[in-house]
């Protein structure tokens, strides 16, 4: 890392001229020849020292020795396309002698300072340097310019630049701008790191938070190149190559980026989770650990997600142009946008990103950054459900009897928790419970809504469809799925924003009828209560979608009192007192409360008041929509409940008993008449 800043310009020019010729002829460098003569014959089969005709160009010997020292590798099983020469020597990977190794690295470091000291790059890229990099005069700047313009380069130059980039990532000391910018970090943290296989770069990346802005910018440039080409990501390739060959063998030629390779492995594991590939489809520990590390790293910057960045380029410019990149700020900006404002291609890739961070909270950089200490304190035992754990803590901490009532969660953490909860309410794929238990009902009963959600980014349509099916045809929804839908409906009853469909179709009604309630703290359910109260005042035509969405919530609560949190809370003591042995579900708890209320049993005043208001609301709905009459509501709950078979059986049994009793009574009467007739005959 020697710096020539203090050398006079004239001297630098003469030194450069000397280096120019030394880099082109191995034999002109007496120190290199002395140190590497034996190695060049043994490892590169060079015959020039023996007085025979040279079988290799002198400029290629240095490349051969360097490859022998750092080793060659490829993602493919038998690819050798990166070789600069056709060297089939079986001893190619034999270690280079220490004295030769030192000279080779010294010469390669010189080559890294300029294209003109690298014969192959200069030969293949002279025209491209004139076209794209005429103003790049600093040390290593011309090489970096070529790397930045790689998509515009000629085929020969692009190939040479890719090969050089591979070497510069494998041994980051070849990257002069990076080593210059990160000298302080290198000396303080990474001077002892191994130079091969990208280990030095890995060390610098791990400590990048302690680096200055210039160093972080250089590291980001290198990380972007790694993310765009999986063959440049040596830690990932070394850890996951066996897994890629095992699970993605037929796709290896198509895998270009690190993200594509990781996605292929995730799909293989996903198939196993679904039971399609058997129990042996498991990643190696090394690969699994490296994938977690790569995912955490990629979550921090949009530039490390090449496909997402490319597909959302225009969206980022229009919607997030003022957002400073880094710390997942651009990704968060996109997540917060209205899906209808985002292009279809961007929405598709963004949804994939959302699925990943919702499934694995550890990969949600913003969540981990702003809520990490709370996770450590309250949810460390369940890292995979840390988001749900903290969200429940946030919603329940102010309830009577809560042990966390004095906990003050930071605003940034609270905002992230609420935002993630809203996102999960928009797309069923982001809700682990729905994704696990409701896949079949969605395919059977909500297939058209699923297409709308996928193609047009329509928010909440699939979840609303599930709620609608459960409200009116509960027998079609399996119990595990029904439980998840009711859980989500109960949350939306406390915060209307957690019902994306209702929030959208009732937007005008909330503004005109419930604006005051909308200003109240979230979690109190004020808006939903207001909408229910104003049902009879809503326009039957213009507000029809809103009315239907609110009625669905009412019907779901009629079947399960837990879906009506305010009623459940006000009647909790009464439930324990007068309905202690009634099983939840199928409307049994609410029916028990209503029976006790109508029978005049002693109940708490607030519970009685809330029960009466619910009965009034059902009557209002019956008048608005005869098909939803309160009498039919009970019949609906009975006829379509999962207990309808047992109820029907009880009814038929009762009829059968009456019939048998009648038959027996009739038979006895006939017998008595016959005996009386016989007596008269005698």
């Amino acid at each position: 890392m020697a710096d020539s800043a203090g050398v006079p310009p004239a001297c630098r020019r003469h030194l450069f001229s000397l280096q120019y010729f030394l880099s082109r002829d191995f034999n002109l460098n007496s120190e290199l020849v002395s140190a590497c003569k034996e190695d060049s014959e043994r490892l590169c089969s060079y015959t020039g020292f023996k007085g025979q005709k040279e079988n290799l160009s002198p400029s290629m010997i240095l490349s051969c020795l360097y490859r022998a020292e750092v080793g060659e590798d490829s993602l493919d099983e038998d690819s050798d396309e990166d070789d600069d020469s056709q060297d089939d020597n079986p001893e190619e990977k034999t270690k280079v002698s220490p004295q030769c190794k030192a000279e080779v690295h010294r010469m390669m470091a010189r080559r890294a300072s300029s294209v003109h000291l690298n014969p192959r790059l200069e030969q293949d890229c002279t025209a491209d340097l004139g076209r794209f990099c005429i103003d790049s005069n600093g040390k290593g700047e011309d090489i970096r310019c070529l790397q930045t313009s790689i998509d515009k380069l000629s085929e020969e130059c692009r190939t040479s630049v890719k090969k050089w980039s591979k070497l510069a990532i494998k041994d980051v000391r070849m990257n002069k701008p990076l080593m210059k910018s990160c000298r302080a970090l290198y000396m303080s943290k990474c001077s002892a790191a191994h130079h091969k296989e990208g280990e030095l770069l890995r060390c610098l990346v791990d400590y990048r938070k302690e680096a200055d802005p210039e160093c972080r910018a250089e590291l980001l440039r290198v990380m972007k190149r790694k993310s765009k080409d999986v063959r440049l990501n040596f830690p990932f390739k070394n850890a996951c190559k066996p897994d890629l060959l095992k699970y993605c063998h037929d796709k290896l030629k198509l895998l270009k980026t690190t993200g594509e390779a990781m996605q292929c492995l995730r799909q293989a594991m996903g198939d196993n989770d679904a039971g399609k590939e058997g129990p042996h489809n498991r990643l190696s520990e090394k690969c699994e650990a490296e994938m977690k590390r790569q995912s955490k790293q990629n979550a921090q910057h949009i530039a490390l997600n090449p496909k997402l960045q490319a597909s959302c380029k225009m969206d980022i410019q229009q919607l997030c142009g003022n957002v400073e990149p880094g710390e997942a700020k651009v990704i968060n900006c996109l997540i917060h946008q209205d899906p209808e404002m985002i292009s279809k291609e961007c929405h598709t890739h963004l949804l994939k990103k959302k699925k990943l961070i919702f499934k694995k909270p550890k990969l949600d950089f913003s969540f981990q950054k702003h809520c990490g200490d709370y996770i450590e304190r309250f949810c460390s035992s369940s890292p995979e459900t840390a988001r749900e754990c903290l969200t429940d803590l946030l919603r329940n901490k102010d309830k009577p009897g809560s042990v966390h009532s004095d906990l003050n969660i930071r605003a940034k953490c609270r905002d992230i928790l609420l935002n993630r909860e809203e996102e999960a309410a928009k797309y069923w794929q982001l809700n682990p419970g729905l994704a696990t238990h409701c896949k079949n009902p969605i395919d059977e009963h909500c297939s058209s809504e699923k297409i709308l959600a996928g193609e047009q980014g329509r928010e909440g349509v699939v979840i609303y469809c599930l709620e609608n099916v459960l409200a009116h045809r509960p027998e079609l929804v399996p119990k595990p799925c029904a439980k998840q839908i009711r859980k989500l409906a109960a949350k939306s009853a406390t915060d209307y924003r957690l019902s994306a469909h209702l929030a959208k179709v009732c937007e005008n009604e909330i503004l005109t009828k419930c604006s005051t309630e909308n200003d109240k703290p979230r979690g109190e359910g004020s808006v939903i209560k207001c909408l229910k109260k104003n049902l009879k005042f809503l326009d039957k035509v213009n507000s029809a979608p809103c009315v239907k969405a609110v009625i669905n919530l009412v019907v779901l609560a009629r079947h399960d009192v837990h879906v009506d949190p305010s009623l459940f809370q006000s009647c909790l003591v009464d439930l324990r007192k007068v309905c202690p042995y009634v099983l939840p579900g199928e409307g049994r708890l609410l029916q028990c409360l209503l029976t006790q209320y109508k029978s005049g049993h002693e109940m708490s005043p607030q519970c009685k008041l809330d029960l009466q208001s619910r009965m009034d609301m059902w009557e209002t709905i019956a008048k608005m929509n005869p098909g939803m009459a309160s009498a039919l509501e009970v019949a609906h709950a009975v006829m379509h409940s999962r207990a309808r078979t047992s109820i029907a059986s009880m009814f038929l049994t009762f009829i059968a008993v009456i019939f048998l009793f009648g038959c027996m009574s009739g038979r006895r009467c006939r017998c008595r008449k016959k005996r009386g007739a016989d007596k008269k005959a005698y």
Side-chain angles (χ1 to χ4, degrees):
M1 294 187 66
D3 197 345
S4 58
V7 180
C11 182
R12 280 206 301 271
R13 284 196 298 272
H14 285 294
L15 287 173
F16 185 85
S17 299
L18 179 60
Q19 291 175 2
Y20 181 87
F21 288 107
L22 289 176
S23 67
R24 278 154 176 75
D25 194 340
F26 179 83
N27 295 306
L28 294 179
N29 191 327
S30 58
E31 293 177 345
L32 188 61
V33 170
S34 174
C36 299
K37 180 179 178 181
E38 181 185 337
D39 297 88
S40 62
E41 291 176 341
R42 176 168 53 89
L43 301 175
C44 305
S45 302
Y46 181 59
T47 59
F49 296 130
K50 299 177 180 178
Q52 302 175 13
K53 184 179 180 181
E54 292 180 341
N55 61 330
L56 283 178
S57 157
S59 64
M60 293 298 144
I61 299 175
L62 185 60
S63 297
C64 171
L65 291 172
Y66 185 75
R67 284 201 318 278
E69 200 281 311
V70 300
E72 273 298 330
D73 196 10
S74 171
L75 188 63
D76 302 328
E77 287 180 294
D78 46 32
S79 171
D80 56 356
E81 62 188 18
D82 294 329
D83 291 346
D84 284 342
S85 63
Q86 299 301 319
D87 181 18
D88 296 324
N89 194 319
E91 296 184 72
E92 182 183 55
K93 292 189 177 180
T94 304
K95 289 184 179 179
V96 178
S97 62
Q99 63 271 19
C100 179
K101 177 180 176 180
E103 284 300 316
V104 167
H105 276 285
R106 187 169 63 85
M107 288 300 297
M108 291 301 288
R110 286 179 183 172
R111 281 191 173 189
S113 65
S114 175
V115 167
H116 300 294
L117 298 182
N118 191 315
R120 173 59 65 86
L121 273 179
E122 185 187 38
Q123 175 184 325
D124 294 339
C125 298
T126 300
D128 296 280
L129 280 168
R131 289 174 60 198
F132 306 113
C133 307
I134 195 167
D135 296 324
S136 301
N137 300 316
K139 186 177 286 187
E141 291 295 326
D142 48 3
I143 294 178
R144 188 170 75 180
C145 172
L146 290 174
Q147 291 172 327
T148 304
S149 309
I150 193 164
D151 294 332
K152 305 174 185 177
L153 303 178
S154 62
E155 188 63 34
E156 295 80 5
C157 181
R158 188 185 303 121
T159 302
S160 293
V161 171
K162 283 183 176 179
K163 290 176 180 177
W164 177 257
S165 298
K166 185 173 182 179
L167 291 177
I169 289 177
K170 207 167 192 178
D171 185 354
V172 79
R173 292 175 301 172
M174 301 296 105
N175 189 326
K176 286 295 182 182
L178 174 65
M179 295 306 285
K180 180 181 178 182
S181 301
C182 298
R183 178 181 176 83
L185 184 64
Y186 169 78
M187 296 303 293
S188 63
K189 299 293 184 182
C190 303
S191 58
H194 201 292
H195 296 143
K196 293 199 300 183
E197 299 299 322
E199 290 302 316
L200 176 54
L201 176 61
R202 180 171 185 160
C203 176
L204 293 172
V205 169
D206 287 344
Y207 287 104
R208 66 189 179 280
K209 289 184 179 179
E210 301 180 27
D212 57 56
E214 187 179 355
C215 176
R216 287 201 298 270
E218 288 294 337
L219 285 171
L220 181 60
R221 288 191 182 96
V222 178
M223 291 162 68
K224 284 168 66 176
R225 286 188 218 117
K226 282 176 58 181
S227 67
K228 290 180 180 179
D229 189 345
V230 67
R231 290 162 181 78
L232 299 181
N233 195 334
F234 294 101
F236 172 76
K237 189 173 68 172
N238 293 338
C240 294
K241 184 175 179 180
D243 301 87
L244 287 166
L245 292 174
K246 182 177 180 181
Y247 299 122
C248 305
H249 185 273
D250 56 335
K251 301 177 182 177
L252 283 182
K253 298 290 184 182
L254 303 175
L255 300 179
K256 303 298 181 185
T257 69
T258 302
E260 289 174 352
M262 292 171 64
Q263 181 64 22
C264 179
L265 291 174
R266 287 193 193 103
Q267 287 175 350
M269 298 308 102
D271 288 343
N272 179 71
D273 294 338
K276 296 179 182 178
E277 297 293 337
H280 304 295
N281 221 15
R282 291 288 183 270
L283 289 177
S284 63
E285 290 185 10
K286 283 175 61 178
C287 182
E288 189 170 0
E290 185 60 29
M291 280 186 64
K292 287 181 180 178
R293 181 181 174 279
Q294 293 284 336
S295 297
K296 286 183 181 179
Q297 180 178 295
N298 295 348
Q300 299 180 30
H301 206 292
I302 186 73
L304 302 181
N305 300 266
K307 283 202 167 183
L308 178 63
Q309 186 182 35
S311 61
C312 297
K313 185 177 180 180
M314 295 303 297
D315 303 270
I316 293 171
Q317 291 177 1
Q318 294 173 6
L319 304 172
C320 307
N322 297 326
V323 177
E324 181 184 355
E327 297 188 340
K329 292 178 183 176
V330 175
I331 295 175
N332 268 333
C333 173
L334 290 173
I335 289 176
H336 281 75
Q337 300 301 320
D338 184 343
E340 294 184 3
M341 300 292 291
I342 294 178
S343 64
K344 180 180 176 181
E345 186 181 6
C346 179
H347 171 74
T348 301
H349 286 88
L350 186 61
L351 189 57
K352 290 179 182 178
K353 185 70 177 177
K354 288 179 185 178
K355 286 182 188 178
L356 183 60
I357 65 175
F358 271 77
K359 187 176 181 180
K360 300 183 177 182
K362 282 188 175 182
L363 305 183
D364 190 340
F365 179 80
S366 299
F367 172 61
Q368 294 292 330
K369 179 183 177 182
H370 297 295
C371 302
D373 52 339
Y374 299 122
I375 297 171
E376 189 67 28
R377 284 174 61 190
F378 304 110
C379 307
S380 57
S381 61
S382 54
E384 294 302 318
T385 57
R387 192 184 297 110
E388 289 80 1
C389 170
L390 280 185
T391 302
D392 289 342
L393 180 67
L394 175 64
R395 290 197 172 277
N396 297 325
K397 73 181 188 68
D398 295 327
K399 290 184 178 179
S402 173
V403 295
H404 302 298
S405 56
D406 58 341
L407 178 65
N408 185 23
I409 295 180
R410 282 188 305 275
K412 285 189 175 180
C413 178
R414 185 173 64 250
D415 291 345
I416 287 172
L417 288 172
L418 294 175
N419 170 262
R420 298 299 187 260
E421 195 174 26
E422 285 182 30
E423 286 297 313
K426 293 175 184 177
Y427 304 105
W428 65 274
Q429 303 100 315
L430 305 183
N431 187 309
L434 292 179
T436 302
H437 300 295
C438 297
K439 191 174 184 303
N440 289 337
I442 289 171
D443 291 338
E444 291 174 11
H445 310 297
C446 304
S447 56
S448 58
E449 287 80 3
K450 185 178 177 182
I451 293 172
L452 280 175
E455 292 184 352
Q456 301 178 21
R458 296 277 292 277
E459 298 178 5
V461 290
V462 173
I463 296 176
Y464 177 68
C465 172
L466 287 173
E467 291 176 349
N468 200 39
V469 174
L470 181 61
H472 303 285
R473 297 291 303 277
E475 76 278 4
L476 299 178
V477 184
K479 284 185 178 180
C481 178
K483 182 179 178 181
Q484 296 298 324
I485 298 170
R486 291 191 180 106
K487 183 179 178 182
L488 193 56
K491 287 184 177 181
S492 65
T494 63
D495 186 351
Y496 76 95
R497 299 170 187 85
L498 299 183
S499 176
H501 178 79
L502 184 145
K504 193 172 186 64
V505 298
C506 295
E507 185 177 5
N508 291 331
E509 288 74 13
I510 292 171
L511 287 174
T512 56
K513 302 289 185 181
C514 308
S515 57
T516 304
E517 287 76 4
N518 197 25
D519 294 332
K520 292 182 179 180
R522 298 177 63 158
E524 296 182 357
S526 303
V527 172
I528 294 295
K529 291 176 186 176
C530 172
L531 289 173
K532 290 177 179 178
K533 184 179 178 180
N534 285 280
L535 267 178
K536 59 184 177 183
F537 303 113
L538 297 180
D539 189 292
K540 291 184 179 180
V541 177
N542 296 326
S543 298
C546 178
V547 170
K548 186 177 179 182
V550 175
I551 287 177
N552 268 358
L553 273 182
V554 174
V555 175
L556 288 175
R558 181 70 179 84
H559 293 169
D560 188 344
V561 70
H562 294 88
V563 180
D564 191 341
S566 61
L567 176 64
F568 178 73
Q569 198 63 37
S570 63
C571 294
L572 184 58
V573 174
D574 301 273
L575 282 169
R576 291 171 179 170
K577 181 180 178 181
V578 300
C579 307
Y581 304 112
V582 178
L583 295 175
E586 312 295 348
R588 286 185 288 265
L589 287 176
L590 184 55
Q591 195 58 46
C592 174
L593 287 173
L594 289 171
T595 301
Q596 299 299 321
Y597 173 62
K598 292 176 181 178
S599 301
H601 284 269
E602 184 179 350
M603 301 178 75
S604 62
Q606 188 60 47
C607 180
K608 292 167 68 175
L609 188 65
D610 285 348
L611 283 172
Q612 185 58 52
S613 71
R614 298 311 184 270
M615 294 169 66
D616 294 341
M617 181 169 56
W618 299 334
E619 187 176 348
T620 299
I621 292 173
K623 291 178 180 178
M624 292 175 63
N625 186 349
M628 299 294 293
S630 54
L632 293 179
E633 194 64 53
V634 177
H636 184 276
V638 172
M639 294 303 296
H640 292 286
S641 72
R642 292 181 183 83
R644 65 189 186 282
T645 305
S646 60
I647 294 173
S649 299
M650 291 172 62
F651 178 73
L652 291 174
T653 302
F654 178 70
I655 296 297
V657 169
I658 293 176
F659 177 74
L660 289 173
F661 181 77
C663 290
M664 299 254 328
S665 299
R667 186 175 178 184
R668 288 180 64 187
C669 289
R670 286 196 300 272
C671 289
R672 286 176 181 173
K673 288 179 180 179
K674 185 176 180 181
R675 283 198 297 269
D678 290 342
K679 285 179 180 180
K680 287 181 180 180
Y682 284 106

